[in-house]
């Protein structure tokens, strides 16, 4: 299995959504639908070859606050 290089470029539109999501989560707001939107953006980024599947999974594990 290949080691994931954690220094990859996140598309700006996903970066903005993750920042907004994390900030709102820190304030105690549940943003389940915003997270669902981020997951959709990640899937689209994989389809368009902007991210690898492993990179998208890494971002999901790092930033999801819905557990």
């Amino acid at each position: 299995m290949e080691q994931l290089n954690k220094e990859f470029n996140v598309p700006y539109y996903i970066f903005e959504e993750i920042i907004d999501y994390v900030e709102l989560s820190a304030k105690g707001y549940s943003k389940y639908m915003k997270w669902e939107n981020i997951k959709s953006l990640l899937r689209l980024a994989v389809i368009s070859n902007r991210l690898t599947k492993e990179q998208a999974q890494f971002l999901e594990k790092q930033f999801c606050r819905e557990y």
Side-chain angles (χ1 to χ4, degrees):
M1 184 172 178
E2 186 178 317
Q3 181 77 12
L4 174 66
N5 178 1
K6 295 180 183 176
E7 294 185 25
F8 56 90
N9 292 325
V10 177
Y12 190 72
Y13 58 94
I14 294 175
F15 175 76
E16 282 185 316
E17 289 294 316
I18 289 174
I19 294 299
D20 189 38
Y21 170 77
V22 170
E23 287 176 347
L24 292 171
S25 297
K27 294 178 183 177
Y29 296 106
S30 175
K31 290 297 171 187
Y32 177 76
M33 291 309 296
K34 181 168 269 305
W35 182 250
E36 289 300 310
N37 184 46
I38 292 169
K39 287 182 7 181
S40 295
L41 291 173
L42 290 170
R43 285 191 296 272
L44 288 171
V46 171
I47 291 169
S48 65
N49 294 319
R50 299 285 309 271
L51 292 174
T52 66
K53 184 177 179 180
E54 292 78 17
Q55 290 168 333
Q57 290 172 343
F58 173 78
L59 291 171
E60 282 190 46
K61 288 178 185 175
Q62 285 295 115
F63 296 106
C64 181
R65 306 284 192 264
E66 299 304 315
Y67 303 117

